[in-house]
Amino acid sequence: MISLHHATKLYGTVIGVNDLTVDLGPGVHGLLGPNGAGKTTLLGLVTGQLRPTMGRVEIFGERPFGNRRVLARIGYCPAGDLLERRATPREWVSYLLRLSGRDAAAARRAAAAAIERVGLSEAIDRPLATLSKGMRQRAKLAGSIAHEPDLLVLDEPFIGLDPMARHELVAMVREWASSRSLLVASHLLHEIEALDAGLAVILGGRLVASGDVEEIHALVDSLPAEIHLEADEPGRLAAAACRGGLVDSLRFDGATGLRIGTRQPRALASHLATAAAEERITLRVLHAGDRSLEAVFDRLVQLHRGIGPAVAKAAAMEARP
Amino acid sequence: MISGRGILAVAGFQWRRLLAPQRLLLAAAGAAFPAAVVLAARRISGSLDRDAAVLLLYALIPEAICMLGLLVTMCPVVADELERGTWQHVVVRPGGRWSLLAGTFLAAVSWTALVGLFSLLLSLAAAGLPASGRLGWIFAALILLSCCGRAALFALPAVIMPKRALVASVVAAIVVEYLAGFLPAVVNQLTVSLRLRSLLVEWMGWRRQLPPELQLLVDDQSAGIQVLAVFSLAITLLTAAGLILSWRQFPPSEEV
C-alpha cells in the first residue's frame, strides 16, 4: 500500500528524509520520531504534497504527487491548527468535500455525517474560532475522513489535547481504523501503543527500526541496558554478576551502588536476585531500567547520535527492513 | 485536471472570507475614493467637462481601484492558505491546486469588479454623468477586463513567491503595466494597460482627435481584437501560474 524505495527528500542542503526504504501493507501503522525527525516530510511524500528528490514513492501502486486517483483515496489530517476562524465545521468539511468533487447537497450530507462520527454535532454550526483546540482537532479529523478514504494519514493528531479529549480521539481513530488503513505520526510512544499499530521509528530522516510492539520490545532486550543496584557489599555482588556471563560493562557508583551494562537485562536481573540470595548479600535496590517503548526510543536516539557501543548500533540496524 | 465543482467551492469559500466586516469596510472606503476625488476636482475647477471626467474615472477605477482590489484579493492566493493552515488540506484533494488558483481568480475578479462597479456608480453620480447610458457600459466592460487581466498577472508572483507576493505584484504592476505598457514598442502588446487604453479611445470615439504623439500609446486594431488579447493574456498567465503551482512544494516549517 505504502512503498518507499530509497526515497530521499532534500530542502536545499537540509535532509528531510534520507534514503528511506519501507513497505507498509494495509492496516494500522505508527510513525515514531522526535520533532524534526522527518515524520511530516515523510507524510508529505505519502500524501502527494512533496516529490522525492531521489528514489521512488508509491501509494496504492502509483506515485501520489499530482495523482488524482491516489489523492482521492487518501485522507490527511495535518498537525497544524486550523486558523480558519469564521467558517463553521459544517462549512469547512463541506468545502473540502466539494473540493473532492461532491456536489453541494451531497457534500453537506456527508459533512454532517462525518461531524457526527467525530462527536462534534452540537458545535456543527459554531465558528471554528469559538471552538476548543480539541473540537477543532475533531473538525480537522472529520474533514479528513468525510470522503471515506482508503488510507487515513494523521500527523500528531493528539498534540495539545487534554487527557479526556485524547482518550476520546484515540477511541474514535481506533474505531475508524478497524476497517481501513491508518498511518499515524507521533513523537509520543504511548499514543501509538494505544492504537495497536505496527511501528516504524524514524530519526534524522532515516528508518532506524520497525516492527510490531512485540518486535520493538524484543529490540529493547537486544539493546544494551543498564541495571542499577544498591547493595551492602557491591564488590561481592559484582563478582557474582560476572559469573553469569551476562555482563557487558560494570561500574561502581559510590560506596554501595553498582551499575551493570548488559544486553540481556531480564536474564541478568534474575541471575542477580538469585546470586544475592545465595551469597546472602542484602540487595536494597534493583532497578532493571526502563523497558517501555520510551526507553527504546531514547536508546535509539542515543544510537543514532553515535552514543553507545557499536554492537548495539548493529543490533538496531538489523531491525531495518 | 480542473474540476468545476472544486473551482466553485473555492470561489464560494473565498467570497465568505471577503465578506468579513473589515474587508467590507475597506472595500466601501476604496469604492468611495474615486467619487471623492471627482467631487474635489469639480469643486477646485468649478466645472469638469465630460472628457476630463472620463479620463479621471478611467485612471481611478479600472486602473487604480481594480489594481488595489486585486492586490488584496489575488496576491494572497497561496500565502493566505499557508498562514491559515489550510494549504495542506487543500493540496491533498484531487485537483486541489488548480481549483485553489482558478477559484480564487474567480472570487478576486467578481469581488473587485463589483467594488469597481459600485465605485463607478458613485463616481458617475459625483461627476453628474448618467450611469445607465453608453458610458456606464463602457466602464463596466473596462472594469471587467482590467480585473481579468490584472488578476491573472498577479497570480504569477503569488505562486512564485507567496510570502513576497504583494511586493512582487506591485513591482510587476509598475514594471509591466506602467513602464512596458507605455513604451511605444512591441513589448507593450503584452500588457493589459495598452488594451484598456485602446478600448477607451475606440469606444469613446477619440481616435481621430488624438495627437500623433499620443497615438503611439494606443493600438489601432479593432475592439474585438483588444478584448480577445486581454482574455488570451489572462488565460496564458493563469495557465502558467497553474503549472507552477501544481509543481510547487512547501517544506513543513517545523522540520526544516
Side-chain angles (χ1 to χ4, degrees), chain B residues 21-184:
Chain B
Q22 284 174 330
R23 297 258 189 164
L24 286 170
L25 204 64
L26 196 68
F33 177 70
V37 172
V38 169
L39 280 176
R42 284 184 74 176
R43 182 173 282 257
I44 291 165
S45 65
S47 68
L48 197 61
D49 71 45
R50 188 173 186 270
D51 287 355
V54 167
L55 275 178
L56 190 59
L57 290 183
Y58 173 76
L60 288 171
I61 302 175
E63 292 295 339
I65 290 298
C66 290
M67 203 79 99
L68 289 172
L70 294 166
L71 282 173
V72 175
T73 52
M74 192 67 211
C75 288
V77 55
V78 176
D80 241 16
E81 305 300 321
L82 291 171
E83 276 176 24
R84 290 169 190 258
T86 51
W87 169 257
Q88 291 171 307
H89 294 270
V90 171
V91 296
V92 297
R93 303 283 155 174
R97 294 165 190 254
W98 281 96
S99 297
L100 177 67
L101 181 71
T104 306
F105 173 83
L106 201 60
V109 168
S110 54
W111 169 266
T112 310
L114 272 179
V115 172
L117 290 173
F118 180 56
S119 179
L120 177 67
L121 289 176
L122 293 176
S123 304
L124 287 174
L129 295 169
S132 58
R134 182 176 157 78
L135 194 61
W137 289 110
I138 289 173
F139 267 93
L142 290 175
I143 287 167
L144 192 62
L145 289 170
S146 171
C147 289
C148 285
R150 268 72 183 259
L153 174 66
F154 294 158
L156 264 183
V159 300
I160 293 170
M161 45 178 84
K163 290 180 180 170
R164 302 273 183 278
L166 197 63
V167 175
S169 295
V170 170
V171 171
I174 292 169
V175 172
V176 176
E177 289 295 294
Y178 298 127
L179 290 179
F182 279 92
L183 280 178

Side-chain angles (χ1 to χ4, degrees), chain A residues 9-233:
Chain A
K9 182 64 190 172
L10 299 172
Y11 304 111
T13 56
V14 178
I15 296 176
V17 165
N18 190 358
D19 192 27
L20 205 147
T21 296
V22 65
D23 276 297
L24 301 174
V28 184
H29 303 280
L31 188 61
L32 218 58
N35 292 328
K39 300 188 299 294
T40 302
T41 298
L42 180 53
L43 297 190
L45 291 170
V46 168
T47 55
Q49 298 171 60
L50 304 170
R51 288 186 308 276
T53 312
M54 286 178 277
R56 200 174 66 241
V57 176
E58 287 183 355
I59 311 298
F60 303 120
E62 295 183 70
R63 295 179 190 210
F65 190 89
N67 188 326
R68 296 178 67 97
R69 283 187 303 278
V70 174
L71 294 181
R73 297 178 67 186
I74 295 177
Y76 179 52
C77 184
D81 197 5
L82 195 55
L83 302 176
E84 189 63 54
R85 314 308 285 179
R86 296 180 69 231
T88 65
R90 189 202 298 274
E91 289 169 346
W92 173 247
V93 179
S94 298
Y95 168 55
L96 294 179
L97 282 163
R98 291 184 69 198
L99 265 177
S100 292
R102 305 275 177 95
D103 65 51
R108 282 182 76 82
R109 276 196 304 275
I115 289 166
E116 189 181 351
R117 201 169 183 174
V118 300
L120 198 60
S121 292
E122 81 280 5
I124 191 168
D125 289 319
R126 276 174 54 191
L128 287 164
T130 66
L131 303 184
S132 68
K133 167 103 179 168
M135 290 167 115
R136 282 202 299 278
Q137 196 69 9
R138 286 166 189 246
K140 275 167 54 185
L141 187 63
S144 61
I145 63 172
H147 60 298
E148 303 286 343
D150 294 323
L151 168 65
L152 178 62
V153 180
L154 306 176
D155 190 1
E156 302 280 5
F158 310 110
I159 201 163
L161 299 184
D162 60 60
M164 197 65 190
R166 185 173 296 197
H167 175 74
E168 287 174 4
L169 206 60
V170 165
M172 219 178 297
V173 171
R174 279 176 71 116
E175 189 268 327
W176 194 90
S178 61
S179 57
R180 290 156 198 262
S181 294
L182 177 69
L183 176 62
V184 184
S186 176
H187 66 285
L188 296 172
L189 295 158
H190 62 87
E191 290 179 353
I192 306 284
E193 279 186 296
L195 293 169
D196 294 333
L199 291 169
V201 182
I202 181 172
L203 293 164
R206 298 183 78 102
L207 187 72
V208 293
S210 66
D212 58 27
V213 173
E214 289 304 315
E215 285 170 326
I216 296 296
H217 275 298
L219 178 63
V220 180
D221 292 342
S222 73
L223 294 171
E226 191 173 70
I227 294 182
H228 178 220
L229 301 129
E230 292 281 340
D232 285 348
E233 298 172 83

Side-chain angles (χ1 to χ4, degrees), chain A residues 276-298:
Chain A
E278 286 172 356
E279 302 272 338
R280 296 185 181 279
I281 302 167
T282 306
L283 195 56
R284 286 196 297 273
V285 173
L286 193 158
H287 182 60
D290 190 356
R291 297 275 188 75
S292 69
L293 286 178
E294 292 285 355
V296 184
F297 193 68
D298 289 344

